Amino acid sequence: DLQAALNAKAPTEWTTTVTKSTDQDVTNDATLTNDSELAIAVLSGEFWYFELLLLYSGNNASGDYEGGFAIPAASGIANFLNVGILDGPANTARAVLAATTVTSVPMGTDASQTIRAAKIEMMLAFTASGTVQYQFANAGAGTGRISRTEAGSIFRGKKIL
């Protein structure tokens, strides 16, 4: 099965782990902005499994938070699981890709900068070298709207091949 094949090829530890050391804000901007820390370099011909354990918040229930990735040319799949701490059931999304971006997904916030959690998983086969870069923005720009990627977020990857 696929899981057994991946376990046989996968290193026993994560190849790269990045833990965000400081909060980073985007204010009144719906254009995806590179996170200053959450990035991993890859080479053409490599196959990777990535996991982002994201902590995020916002100060406006209408502006929300949006996150995605800029990547070197690749094909694969991405799964998003957004756990809304106070507002009910989790939101999920899946993107199959053959491109240089992973479609961004809006994630709910409230007006109180409540920290929420999301998990994003990706399996990607790269046809170009470069950086897998997490990006975020306000889902809707507006005066004084803040979207924050929180310190403690963890981005890690396993080089499978």
Side-chain angles (χ1 to χ4, degrees):
D1 77 346
L2 177 60
Q3 187 61 51
L6 289 174
N7 289 342
K9 287 290 229 177
T12 56
E13 299 294 326
W14 294 97
T15 307
T16 303
T17 300
V18 179
T19 302
K20 189 154 183 67
S21 61
T22 59
D23 295 345
Q24 183 179 344
D25 292 349
V26 168
T27 302
N28 190 26
D29 193 345
T31 302
L32 291 172
T33 300
N34 285 350
D35 184 275
S36 61
E37 298 178 79
L38 302 177
I40 296 175
V42 298
L43 297 174
S44 180
E46 292 179 341
F47 188 89
W48 283 73
Y49 169 76
F50 296 98
E51 180 178 76
L52 174 61
L53 304 172
L54 178 67
L55 299 173
Y56 71 95
S57 63
N59 71 346
N60 187 290
S62 301
D64 289 340
Y65 178 103
E66 186 166 342
F69 290 87
I71 61 174
S75 61
I77 190 165
N79 289 309
F80 295 78
L81 173 62
N82 177 19
V83 182
I85 293 173
L86 298 176
D87 51 8
N91 300 316
T92 61
R94 173 174 285 177
V96 178
L97 56 124
T100 57
T101 60
V102 176
T103 303
S104 60
V105 172
M107 299 176 231
T109 61
D110 62 15
S112 303
Q113 208 78 46
T114 302
I115 297 174
R116 295 160 191 267
K119 179 180 180 182
I120 302 170
E121 298 176 298
M122 301 183 294
M123 293 193 88
L124 300 171
F126 294 96
T127 56
S129 299
T131 301
V132 177
Q133 173 69 60
Y134 182 68
Q135 301 177 314
F136 70 105
N138 301 130
T143 303
R145 289 184 179 168
I146 296 171
S147 294
R148 175 175 296 150
T149 301
E150 300 282 342
S153 295
I154 300 169
F155 183 38
R156 54 192 177 186
K158 279 187 186 182
K159 182 180 162 188
I160 306 299
L161 178 64

